[in-house]
Amino acid sequence: MKVRVCTVYVLAPPEQCKEWNGTREDGCRYAPETLDNLLQRFEEPSSMVRWDSPLFTVSWTDTDVPADDIWRAVTEGGVKPPNTGTQAVAKAPTDALRTLEHTSTSLVSALVSEQANSGSFGGTLTLTLSPTLKSRITLPPRNITLSELQRLKRQFVALHKRAITLGTTEKGSVDWSEESVATKFVVYLEENMKL
């Protein structure tokens, strides 16, 4: 949430905690077994841990609480940037997997068709995937086989399917439109087709 925080840890011995729990009259008293279990599992905060810092440790008997320091930490302290564990993950649209499969298959079909029709090997080709979508690709000076294209398509789809199902690791939102997928696939093919 990008807010300033601090941890105030009040030290009290387990016996004192049990005594306080036993004298509660607000209906929020823990059963003795539950309190024992909580005390056994309790982990003391540490100033070395990011989310516990800044840490102010105060004994339950102290009358001199560092209130000014706590107030400064909450009102003027640094705001820690979010890490991957706390950041919201950009979600892919529900039809992203279909778009990925359909667009990459269309591009492979258009590439095989264009190679067969033109009879030329290599160079820059403009492929028509739909009336509104065209892609330019530069091929090596040889015939690209269907099996090679299908293998590269499977690798490309597997690589991006993970981003769709698990959430992407790329910064910002990812564009899963047909045009974006076609552009990414063309770049992937150009980088992975061997001469």
Side-chain angles (χ1 to χ4, degrees):
M1 297 304 295
K2 299 181 182 175
V3 296
R4 293 178 181 90
V5 297
C6 76
T7 303
V8 179
Y9 175 41
V10 180
L11 282 171
E15 296 74 31
Q16 184 62 48
C17 294
K18 290 176 184 178
E19 183 182 323
W20 286 332
N21 184 60
T23 59
R24 290 186 78 167
E25 296 179 0
D26 57 2
C28 295
R29 186 181 308 168
Y30 286 108
E33 311 81 48
T34 304
L35 185 60
D36 286 338
N37 197 354
L38 288 171
L39 290 169
Q40 286 176 353
R41 288 199 257 160
F42 179 70
E43 292 181 30
E44 288 190 16
S46 168
S47 60
M48 301 300 287
V49 177
R50 173 189 165 138
W51 46 84
D52 289 344
S53 178
L55 172 64
F56 298 93
T57 303
V58 181
S59 173
W60 72 279
T61 58
D62 280 354
T63 55
D64 187 27
V65 176
D68 292 338
D69 293 337
I70 294 170
W71 180 253
R72 270 193 297 283
V74 173
T75 59
E76 301 170 14
V79 176
K80 293 179 178 64
N83 63 16
T84 55
T86 60
Q87 278 181 317
V89 176
K91 298 288 184 193
T94 55
D95 67 339
L97 191 55
R98 188 204 68 77
T99 302
L100 180 67
E101 282 282 351
H102 175 73
T103 305
S104 55
T105 299
S106 297
L107 207 138
V108 166
S109 297
L111 185 53
V112 169
S113 177
E114 185 64 32
Q115 271 192 145
N117 291 340
S118 68
S120 65
F121 300 127
T124 302
L125 299 175
T126 300
L127 305 173
T128 303
L129 303 179
S130 72
T132 59
L133 181 59
K134 296 180 189 285
S135 287
R136 292 176 56 84
I137 185 168
T138 303
L139 300 175
R142 64 177 178 82
N143 185 37
I144 310 299
T145 64
L146 177 60
S147 61
E148 181 181 2
L149 289 171
Q150 287 177 332
R151 179 180 52 79
L152 290 169
K153 176 195 164 269
R154 281 192 304 273
Q155 291 171 352
F156 175 79
V157 168
L159 179 73
H160 288 81
K161 187 185 287 188
R162 181 180 175 131
I164 291 170
T165 56
L166 299 178
T168 182
T169 57
E170 296 178 37
K171 298 278 186 223
S173 61
V174 178
D175 183 4
W176 292 103
S177 66
E178 285 186 4
E179 184 177 345
S180 175
V181 170
T183 301
K184 286 180 185 181
F185 189 40
V186 164
V187 169
Y188 185 82
L189 287 174
E190 289 175 343
E191 290 175 352
N192 289 282
M193 283 189 287
K194 297 184 175 43
L195 296 173

